[in-house]
Amino acid sequence: VGDLDSAKRALQEMEESGITPDVASFSCLLSGAAKQLDCEETLRIIAEMDRRRLRLDACVVSTIMRMARHLPDARDADKALSIMDRPDACLFDDEVVFNTVLDACIYRRDYK
């Protein structure tokens, strides 16, 4: 996906058509923000998901962790890694998610 503007337009068109976006819809937005290494936009999308009471699934967590690994600013990486503190982050439900989280933490040297 990766094209954040297109994903935003698609989400807006869905809502205008009366379709309620789900986690998969927001995953497309997150993918675009993550590919641009836009931590603030990613956090805004997560906040919107929270507002809509959408649970973070394995795809969402993996996307955020991959972004955290590549963020040039350590403060932004810490913000992204803080997603691990959420009770709905499903870090251990999936081996791929666990390995993505582990990779991001090792790369960022966050062994807490």
Side-chain angles (χ1 to χ4, degrees):
V1 165
D3 183 356
L4 183 58
D5 292 330
S6 293
K8 284 180 178 181
R9 280 192 303 277
L11 191 80
Q12 182 177 3
E13 289 172 12
M14 285 175 59
E15 290 185 301
E16 288 170 358
S17 298
I19 300 169
T20 303
D22 59 6
V23 174
S25 305
F26 281 94
S27 290
C28 291
L29 288 178
L30 284 168
S31 178
K35 286 182 181 178
Q36 293 178 8
L37 299 179
D38 189 338
C39 185
E40 293 306 316
E41 181 64 19
T42 299
L43 296 175
R44 278 192 289 278
I45 294 166
I46 295 295
E48 180 61 19
M49 291 176 71
D50 289 344
R51 190 183 72 73
R52 295 173 185 239
R53 292 184 164 81
L54 296 173
R55 186 174 186 268
L56 304 184
D57 67 5
C59 181
V60 168
V61 174
S62 291
T63 298
I64 295 167
M65 290 300 107
R66 282 192 305 274
M67 179 190 69
R69 186 186 193 286
H70 297 287
L71 286 167
D73 186 316
R75 290 175 301 227
D76 284 343
D78 286 344
K79 289 176 191 175
L81 289 171
S82 72
I83 215 77
M84 294 184 300
D85 295 332
R86 294 175 54 127
D88 63 337
C90 66
L91 303 176
F92 307 108
D93 295 349
D94 182 285
E95 185 176 348
V96 173
V97 173
F98 179 75
N99 286 327
T100 305
V101 169
L102 188 60
D103 178 64
C105 289
I106 289 171
Y107 185 81
R108 303 303 308 186
R109 291 183 169 83
D110 183 2
Y111 303 116
K112 297 178 199 171

